[in-house]
Amino acid sequence: MAAEVLARGGAAVTVYDRMPSAGRKFLMAGRGGLNLTHSEDIDAFLTRYGEAAPALRAAIETLPPDAVRAWAQALGQETFVGSSGRVFPRAMKASPLLRAWLRRLDGAGVRFVFRHRWTGWDGERLTFEAPDGAVAVDADATMLALGGASWPRLGSDGAWVEPLTQAGVTVAPLKPANCGFAAGWSGHFARFAGQPLKRLALSFGDQVVRGEALITEAGLEGGGIYALSGPLRDVIAASGEATLTIALRPDMTPEELERRLSAPRGKQSLATFLRKALKLAPAEIGLLHEVSFAQPLAKLDPAALARLINAVPVRLTATAPIARAISTAGGVTFGELDTHFMLRQRPGVFVAGEMLDWEAPTGGYLLQACFATGAAAGQGALAWLSRSA
Ligand SMILES: Cc1cc2nc3c(=O)[nH]c(=O)nc-3n(C[C@H](O)[C@H](O)[C@H](O)COP(=O)(O)OP(=O)(O)OC[C@H]3O[C@@H](n4cnc5c(N)ncnc54)[C@H](O)[C@@H]3O)c2cc1C
């Protein structure tokens, strides 16, 4: 996005990427439908960035969700608003959008140089590790948009932290965001790995979200978990564990649950009874067993069982590795930047995208902030170039 703004403004742009092709994480985001942005009103939208909202506001107001939709449309990708308010291209994938975008950038004169890893500076020159050895490059302005540290095999591995820190730039530690957690399952329950838990209400602290979770060998991941991952991560970091509460049948009142659980069980096994009375899946019943080791499930009376079903306590002890997270929290702190996303300490060097110190839930907020900061930093770089011309 920064390259596009710069090229349109008349700059000669070269994009260096350490990977053999462009936009690999963007393509991966397309595997889940490519949630480009969200349709909610701008004030609600901005609250999703928490403490970083003030630093992102101007950029997002300049390139708001409607502008992202118009941008996609101009690239031949009509968008639609899904039932949750999320915005997707009709194609539900990234490849046609990326192809059209790269063609347009090529037409605007943007040059791509692949397999070049930025390693820092040698004086004023940018240094790269390239297939034939080290390369040094002069540039009138530099845009760093090197991503976070999740899914490193797609390109962004967070190795940029070192050269930036060495240059005296403050970088908040990179942490997993929209990530899964370890729950220390017993071997018995770990056999449900890969199975989803659907239509849940998940709560932590004063936050309650509706969504799904996926059982993993180590613990839990998935949309509902990601939505609470920021506070869960921070509490685990501070105190070593956090207890997530899961309601398996959030639309049933305690009375309704208890009434159904009070029906005569006859000769049915507990599992059969729960499956018939509440349509609980084997993984859900497994989870109830998993958390009720202190008192076996079969010993609980209907009222206690009803309470447990809608308040399953799951003790989480660690975040899943950052390499598996959807996004990255932490990054170059906003205090290091002027209002045009230029590093105060290195005039002419701009920073955009996920490598900045913000985080947001899934829902299109991630790409939206990357697009918006890319465009804003691009404008900043144009202004800088014209000032120094
Ligand atoms: C599985 C998955 C699904 C996702 N789905 C969505 C979604 O639906 N909606 C949404 O909003 N967000 C989604 N995201 C998040 C979104 O893809 C990212 O937030 C976004 O791509 C970040 O953009 P960026 O340009 O800042 O960084 P990136 O897209 O990571 O791009 C950074 C680029 O810099 C290159 N690079 C890194 N280090 C160097 C270096 N030292 N030298 C040279 N090049 C380097 C990398 O190769 C890469 O091409 C998803 C993420 C994942 C992992």
Side-chain angles (χ1 to χ4, degrees), residues 177-249:
N178 296 301
C179 59
F181 291 88
W185 301 137
S186 66
H188 188 71
F189 185 65
R191 74 194 164 95
F192 290 109
Q195 298 207 22
L197 300 167
K198 295 189 173 175
R199 289 180 290 277
L200 310 172
L202 304 115
S203 44
F204 182 65
D206 55 5
Q207 265 183 280
V208 183
V209 299
R210 291 294 186 114
E212 291 190 13
L214 184 75
I215 301 165
T216 64
E217 277 192 19
L220 291 171
E221 61 182 32
I225 303 292
Y226 299 158
L228 295 172
S229 60
L232 285 169
R233 176 197 64 212
D234 293 344
V235 168
I236 292 172
S239 54
E241 63 174 75
T243 300
L244 171 74
T245 304
I246 299 181
L248 295 172
R249 289 294 174 270

Side-chain angles (χ1 to χ4, degrees), residues 17-19 29 35 116 118 145-147 151 155-156 326 354 367:
D17 198 304
R18 63 173 280 244
M19 298 302 281
N35 182 191
H116 278 56
W118 176 69
L146 305 172
W151 290 68
S156 11
I326 297 291
E354 203 177 312
L367 284 173

